[in-house]
Amino acid sequence: MSSATSTSSRTPLAIGAGVLVAALLLGFASYTATRPDSAPSGRASSVADVSAEPQAGTYPELEKLARRDAKDPLAAGRADAPVVMVEYADFQCGYCGKFARDTEPQLVKKYVDAGVLRIEWRNFPIFGEASEAAARAAWAAGQQGRFWQFHAAAYAEGAKEKGFGQDRLRALAREAGVRDLDRFARDADSDAARKAVAKDQQEGYGLGATSTPSFLVNGRPIAGAQPMETFTEAIEAAARTAKQGS
């Protein structure tokens, strides 16, 4: 998992004591996932491993962060899906890329396509100007309905090594099928893009997230690019809980 190198713009969210608990859990998960004496099996610990109880480690305050906006171009899946996974990630983060290539497609096929899961992306640029430029570009691609295609291009193997300069971002937009590249450039440099990225960033820092990727699954924090099994357990537990409450 990749950690932030800057401490700016970290304003806590005023949404209750659950935020503090989540911050502690995310910090613990960040530590256990990267410490040298991790689990003998090689599997990184995660918040989702703390308990097998369906509602353990879940916080109603955090569940409310799911926006469920049917018109959100940075989301995939039904707005009324029983489970929402909020993902905080940076396009320069190698672990985010690994999750995007190896795990996320499986989650889409198994849960999003079945109507069980909705994935809501939050731009969480923590590695400086290039990360912020990539975040704004991703948002701009979303304004033309090509966010997830841009996401795939930016996280392709070897993509981040080519950098995220202006020409490179335009090339990624072209690869993603963005039709109006001039509009893309204007949107990426707009106040609206900056405000949207700042909103997501403040939300992530307010949760105490200092590394990427970080996730909330129906209010249950998970830190790091965990194995598929970790997400499967969290999603299915959340789905059972949602079914019982319906």
Side-chain angles (χ1 to χ4, degrees):
M1 133 188 7
S2 300
S3 298
T5 56
S6 170
T7 58
S8 61
S9 302
R10 301 187 186 183
T11 305
L13 290 174
I15 56 176
V19 173
L20 175 60
V21 177
L24 294 172
L25 287 171
L26 284 168
F28 170 78
S30 298
Y31 168 71
T32 55
T34 55
R35 64 189 172 124
D37 59 339
S38 260
S41 66
R43 179 181 175 184
S45 297
S46 77
V47 173
D49 294 330
V50 172
S51 173
E53 292 299 318
Q55 291 182 302
T58 63
Y59 303 94
E61 300 99 324
L62 304 185
E63 190 170 359
K64 293 175 185 176
L65 292 177
R67 296 170 187 171
R68 293 187 178 274
D69 180 357
K71 296 181 180 180
D72 183 357
L74 276 62
R78 290 169 32 190
D80 62 348
V83 184
V84 178
M85 183 176 78
V86 182
E87 175 183 357
Y88 301 86
D90 183 313
F91 284 104
Q92 288 198 103
C93 164
Y95 289 102
C96 299
K98 179 176 175 57
F99 174 80
R101 292 189 299 272
D102 299 346
T103 305
E104 201 157 32
Q106 296 182 64
L107 295 178
V108 170
K109 184 176 180 179
K110 186 172 184 178
Y111 297 112
V112 175
D113 291 349
V116 174
L117 177 68
R118 174 178 174 83
I119 299 175
E120 295 188 357
W121 172 270
R122 302 287 190 268
N123 276 305
F124 192 46
I126 61 175
F127 295 117
E129 293 182 6
S131 291
E132 295 211 12
R136 293 196 305 271
W139 181 89
Q143 302 315 293
Q144 297 187 52
R146 306 302 288 179
F147 167 76
W148 290 104
Q149 291 80 2
F150 183 95
H151 172 280
Y155 277 138
E157 193 73 54
K160 77 181 182 71
E161 285 74 17
K162 297 178 182 179
F164 291 118
Q166 185 175 351
D167 290 344
R168 176 64 180 149
L169 291 171
R170 190 178 182 93
L172 288 170
R174 184 181 296 110
E175 182 180 342
V178 175
R179 294 176 66 95
D180 188 338
L181 293 176
D182 290 337
R183 177 192 168 189
F184 164 81
R186 291 193 303 271
D187 285 345
D189 195 39
S190 68
D191 287 342
R194 288 180 170 82
K195 288 178 181 178
V197 171
K199 179 181 178 181
D200 289 353
Q201 191 176 45
Q202 290 287 341
E203 184 176 294
Y205 279 137
L207 287 169
T210 58
S211 62
T212 52
S214 292
F215 306 88
L216 296 174
V217 177
N218 274 19
R220 185 177 193 168
I222 299 175
Q226 300 293 330
M228 178 67 175
E229 292 78 9
T230 296
F231 291 96
T232 296
E233 290 167 6
I235 291 166
E236 293 188 357
R240 288 194 298 272
T241 299
K243 186 176 181 179
Q244 291 168 4
S246 61

